[in-house]
Amino acid sequence: MLEKSPIQVLGVPIHPWTMGEAVAYLEESIATGRQSFVVTANAEIVMLCQENAAYKEIVTHKADVVLPDGAGAVWAGRHLGYQVPERVAGFDLFNQLLKAGVEKGRKAYFFGGAPGIAEAAKAKAEELYPGVQIVGCHNGFFKEAESAGIIAEINQSGAELLFVALGAPKQEQWLVNHAAELKSRVLMGIGGSFDVLAGKMERAPKWMQEASLEWAFRLYKQPSRFLRMLALPKFVLKVLFSTKA
Ligand code: UDP
């Protein structure tokens, strides 16, 4: 079991793990039957925690693993004087878990996105990772009264990995509310990852990711995100004026 304790970024605990360590930890969860709830925390999520106490409670006390998703989270940790080896982006971790699961015969369930998107993401995953077992899909536009039926379907599918793409904070709230009823071992919110895998939304080119410019690409592609993305400069300022816990 990994011992690296979480660092604190604006009161949010983040595990400074590598991608390899995160995959190994979650693989161990499946092997030992322990349920792990994963949050991939980018700057927007850290800022959401500042404004929404219930969401902060979920990220700080209900999540088992909080990973540094996004250049902002990595920069903040390093600026505060912590060792943060690398960014563990939700989309990349999602892909790595699918890939690692092929050899081990793991089953995954895709829940979320507009109708047809999870199925399109499944088809793409099957092309990228031959042998991957995606044992069910459900779109993310549902009424809470339908949750019991969706949970029954997920449990019947035998999926060990449950990927939920409802966006933050909805995906984390849904997972926390239903964790006890879910038999899956890895519970993870993945935002718009099905859209990206399905090819409906483009991800920033590698050079932009490496230059910490993924936010600029998203803003260019989805100008409607402008208001949401104001959280990023606010995050930078807040980190600059904070100190290591
Ligand atoms: N979504 C959903 N149900 C909802 C609201 C959103 O399935 O009630 C999906 C939406 O279709 C999209 C994803 O959740 O695929 C949210 O993507 P976004 O880019 O906002 O998430 P982020 O990656 O920024 O957290």
Side-chain angles (χ1 to χ4, degrees), residues 23 40 87 172 189:
V23 172
T40 57
R87 174 182 178 198
E172 283 80 22

Side-chain angles (χ1 to χ4, degrees), residues 109-158:
Y109 192 99
F110 286 5
F111 173 35
I117 290 293
E119 287 80 359
K122 169 176 155 54
K124 186 69 193 174
E126 286 165 352
E127 189 186 312
L128 289 172
Y129 313 116
V132 72
Q133 293 188 58
I134 295 145
V135 289
C137 295
H138 198 290
N139 77 72
F141 291 86
F142 62 102
K143 295 197 181 68
E144 187 44 39
E146 295 167 49
S147 285
I150 297 170
I151 292 163
E153 196 182 300
I154 295 167
N155 286 341
Q156 275 156 23
S157 77

Side-chain angles (χ1 to χ4, degrees), residues 175-198:
L175 279 167
V176 160
N177 290 343
H178 300 294
E181 303 151 64
L182 288 161
K183 291 189 190 151
S184 303
R185 300 292 97 190
V186 174
L187 311 179
M188 180 173 164
I190 57 167
S193 295
F194 294 153
D195 296 304
V196 177
L197 192 57

Side-chain angles (χ1 to χ4, degrees), residues 42 44-45 112-114 117 139-142 165-168 170-171 190-195 200-201 218 222 225 228:
N42 57 18
E44 258 182 72
I45 286 186
I117 290 293
N139 77 72
F141 291 86
F142 62 102
L166 305 175
K170 196 172 176 183
Q171 59 200 14
I190 57 167
S193 295
F194 294 153
D195 296 304
K200 196 180 160 251
M201 207 166 72
R218 287 193 109 180
Q222 293 173 276
R225 290 180 85 96
R228 260 178 78 175

Side-chain angles (χ1 to χ4, degrees), residues 10 41-49 69-73 231-232 235-236:
L10 304 182
N42 57 18
E44 258 182 72
I45 286 186
V46 174
M47 287 310 282
L48 197 54
C49 288
D69 181 353
L232 304 184
F235 170 79
V236 171

